[in-house]
């Protein structure tokens, strides 16, 4: 979700509500000897409003799960989740008089702070990461299709390397045309057996394992500079008529590298949810327990 002009009304209304709540807090606190606390009427109002906004923000996950429900647009829920969720934090601070307390209250506020921090971090990532992905991933595909595309790349590379030695006056190498665009035509060239072995050895030991491994972040071919150096050296020991094959393999490795980069960026883009969602669930539970104990023992 990008933070574009459609967020402007939400920002304005959230800021206005925050200003009103702040005025109510400071004006109301002046009339109380010890200021606003969680047990005061004003504190209870702030607490109920803050917890209500927390519950609303939590309903986003329910709205995502039941997509057939025609209750508002998904983007509207996302904007409400972001800005009203942020507004709930100062309201809860007003509720407790900016005191974190101890025991359950301290745990609750610590959890709430972590939810807000991870939420802001996620919003920043969702705003900037798509642009970064567009700039650094040349061959972007649908994330859930990456495994299938990777398998196709591996098959394409196998097709390029399906050459047969033919003994004639010299050793011959038959290079079949690929069904893809990486190899242009079937070529029969004369070369030494050692020359052909360089290409196959590089393929079997380096290129093929890289194409077969998902998220091969530590492989040398994931590093663009090292990959370029490898193919430069490979061209030096490979006969010129096989240049199309080497170019095709390099192009395939480039596409595979883009798939790996996309996988890594996707993990970064959505990895914050692994912390944000469980913390949010814990927050709602702790908030409910806190409210019950406050009513029962307050």
């Amino acid at each position: 979700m990008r933070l574009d002009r459609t967020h402007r009304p939400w920002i304005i209304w959230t800021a206005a509500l925050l200003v009103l709540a702040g005025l109510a807090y400071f004006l109301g606190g002046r009339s109380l000897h010890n200021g606003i606390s969680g047990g005061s009427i004003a504190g209870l109002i702030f607490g109920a409003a803050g917890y209500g906004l927390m519950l609303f923000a939590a309903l986003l996950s329910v709205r995502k799960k039941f997509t057939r429900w025609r209750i508002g647009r998904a983007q509207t829920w996302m904007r409400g989740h972001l800005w009203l969720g942020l507004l709930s934090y100062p309201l809860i601070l007003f509720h407790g008089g900016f005191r974190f307390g101890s025991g359950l209250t301290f745990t609750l506020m610590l959890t709430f702070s972590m939810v807000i921090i991870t939420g802001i971090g996620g919003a920043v990532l969702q705003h900037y990461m798509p642009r970064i992905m567009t700039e650094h991933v040349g061959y972007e595909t649908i994330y859930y299709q990456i495994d299938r595309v990777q398998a196709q790349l591996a098959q394409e590379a196998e097709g390029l390397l399906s050459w047969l030695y033919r003994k004639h006056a010299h050793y011959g190498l038959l290079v079949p045309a690929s069904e893809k665009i990486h190899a242009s035509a079937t070529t029969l060239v004369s070369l030494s057996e050692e020359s052909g072995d360089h290409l196959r050895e590089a393929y079997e030991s380096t290129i093929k394992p890289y194409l077969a491994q998902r998220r091969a972040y530590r492989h040398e071919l994931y590093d663009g500079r090292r990959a370029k150096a490898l193919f430069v050296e490979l061209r030096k020991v490979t006969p010129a008529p096989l240049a199309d094959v080497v170019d095709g393999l390099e192009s395939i490795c480039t596409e595979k590298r883009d798939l790996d980069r996309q996988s890594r960026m996707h993990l970064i883009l959505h990895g914050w949810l692994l912390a944000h969602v469980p913390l949010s669930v814990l927050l709602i539970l702790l908030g409910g327990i806190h409210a019950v104990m406050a009513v029962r023992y307050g």
Side-chain angles (χ1 to χ4, degrees):
M1 179 181 64
R2 294 183 59 82
L3 302 179
D4 52 24
R5 66 181 60 185
T6 60
H7 287 260
R8 188 175 300 170
W10 288 92
I11 296 174
I12 293 173
W13 280 105
T14 299
L17 291 173
L18 178 58
V19 170
L20 291 176
L23 289 174
Y25 173 79
F26 287 109
L27 293 177
R30 293 178 61 181
S31 63
L32 299 175
H33 178 68
N34 294 322
I36 293 177
S37 62
S40 63
I41 295 178
L44 290 174
I45 293 174
F46 280 126
Y51 190 64
L53 292 181
M54 290 161 57
L55 289 174
F56 171 81
L59 286 176
L60 173 65
S61 59
V62 180
R63 173 63 177 79
K64 285 184 175 181
K65 185 175 182 179
F66 298 97
T67 55
R68 294 183 179 180
W69 291 2
R70 302 297 181 182
I71 307 177
R73 298 175 58 186
Q75 290 297 318
T76 303
W77 278 85
M78 287 292 295
R79 297 183 189 103
H81 174 85
L82 174 60
W83 297 109
L84 296 182
L86 281 174
L87 180 60
S88 67
Y89 192 75
L91 292 183
I92 295 300
L93 289 177
F94 294 158
H95 161 68
F98 288 87
R99 293 181 289 270
F100 274 40
S102 60
L104 176 62
T105 303
F106 178 80
T107 303
L108 175 62
M109 289 306 301
L110 181 62
T111 303
F112 198 5
S113 299
M114 293 301 297
V115 169
I116 294 297
I117 291 172
T118 55
I120 293 175
V124 172
L125 284 174
Q126 289 184 340
H127 180 74
Y128 288 105
M129 189 60 71
R131 183 189 308 171
I132 295 174
M133 189 177 297
T134 300
E135 293 175 352
H136 292 83
V137 179
Y139 298 94
E140 187 176 354
T141 188
I142 300 175
Y143 179 76
Y144 299 104
Q145 296 291 327
I146 288 180
D147 286 336
R148 182 181 63 80
V149 175
Q150 179 180 332
Q152 289 178 348
L153 292 176
Q155 291 176 3
E156 186 176 346
E158 284 289 337
L160 286 175
L161 264 293
S162 296
W163 25 270
L164 303 173
Y165 283 105
R166 291 184 178 179
K167 289 187 177 181
H168 213 309
H170 300 280
Y171 289 99
L173 183 61
L174 180 64
V175 185
S178 170
E179 294 180 0
K180 302 291 184 178
I181 62 173
H182 297 290
S184 58
T186 300
T187 309
L188 184 63
V189 298
S190 295
L191 70 161
S192 69
E193 185 174 11
E194 182 180 357
S195 299
D197 286 344
H198 282 302
L199 183 58
R200 178 169 288 280
E201 180 181 354
Y203 175 75
E204 294 291 341
S205 63
T206 305
I207 299 173
K208 184 176 181 179
Y210 175 63
L211 296 177
Q213 182 182 354
R214 174 79 184 272
R215 302 187 184 95
Y217 305 136
R218 296 185 179 182
H219 197 282
E220 63 177 299
L221 291 181
Y222 182 71
D223 187 323
R225 292 182 179 179
R226 296 176 66 184
K228 183 176 181 179
L230 183 145
F231 282 101
V232 167
E233 291 298 319
L234 190 57
R235 287 187 180 91
K236 292 180 180 179
V237 297
T238 302
L242 292 180
D244 285 347
V245 178
V246 179
D247 291 345
L249 290 174
E250 184 175 20
S251 178
I252 290 173
C253 288
T254 299
E255 292 187 42
K256 169 62 164 58
R257 186 160 55 250
D258 283 341
L259 293 179
D260 287 339
R261 285 175 178 169
Q262 183 179 346
S263 295
R264 169 167 278 185
M265 292 182 180
H266 186 275
L267 180 62
I268 295 173
L269 182 60
H270 298 279
W272 63 279
L273 290 171
L274 298 176
H276 185 72
V277 173
L279 286 172
S280 298
V281 174
L282 178 61
L283 174 64
I284 296 300
L285 293 176
L286 291 177
I289 294 173
H290 175 78
V292 171
M293 292 182 65
V295 173
R296 190 168 185 177
Y297 302 105

